[in-house]
Amino acid sequence: MFNNLFFNIDFWGAFCGLLGTIIIFFFGLPPKVDVDGNNYLLLQKTDEKEKVRARKYKKLSYFGLLLIALSFLLQILKLL
């Protein structure tokens, strides 16, 4: 049963969609992360750690979108 599961295109489509959704839920850019690294509470200086964190969140959110797109592609391929 499990051998056929890993070769099933429906399984991988659903798995990519679920994983992409979870990644976007956790790493979609929240409003508390400033993409320019500005920290307005402490003398309006640039925080390099915030800039790195914003880049990480942006990359992971795009990866999540890619996984969701891959899941749709796999489901379309299944219909052909």
Side-chain angles (χ1 to χ4, degrees), residues 1-8:
M1 177 181 166
F2 288 109
N3 289 338
N4 292 335
L5 181 65
F6 291 110
F7 294 111
N8 191 344

Side-chain angles (χ1 to χ4, degrees), residues 49-60:
K49 289 194 302 187
E50 278 297 304
K51 287 175 82 171
V52 170
R53 184 176 174 207
R55 274 189 243 120
K56 173 186 170 187
Y57 273 51
K58 187 174 182 178
K59 287 178 185 176
L60 285 171

